[in-house]
Amino acid sequence: MKTRSAALPLAIASRSLRRLRGDIDVLVVAVGRESTASGRAALVEVHHQLRLLGQRVNAALGAPSAKGDGPPQR
């Protein structure tokens, strides 16, 4: 049975997140220089997408493992 490593997906995700951080910094500076409704809407959309990503990661971190060693059920 092959084991899947998280190293490659982690490296790709980390590289993408660094690039995304730079892109968002550029957007924030641009919107800050010339505040417009469309610029604000773009920032709101980015914020929304980042929250969705955060929720997905948080759900994965809180998910009980297949062994059943997750948090107790009430």
Side-chain angles (χ1 to χ4, degrees):
M1 171 191 268
K2 283 186 176 181
T3 57
R4 293 178 56 157
S5 173
L8 182 59
L10 177 60
I12 292 168
S14 293
R15 187 172 43 244
S16 296
L17 288 170
R18 281 191 300 274
R19 187 171 49 246
L20 178 61
R21 189 177 319 136
D23 292 345
I24 291 171
D25 286 344
V26 169
L27 176 62
V28 167
V29 168
V31 170
R33 270 191 258 129
E34 188 177 321
S35 185
T36 63
S38 63
R40 179 167 171 74
L43 290 176
V44 168
E45 178 60 22
V46 167
H47 180 262
H48 175 70
Q49 294 300 323
L50 291 171
R51 283 186 50 148
L52 292 175
L53 287 171
Q55 288 172 358
R56 184 162 173 98
V57 171
N58 286 340
L61 289 171
S65 72
K67 295 183 227 169
D69 59 353
Q73 299 294 320
R74 290 187 185 185

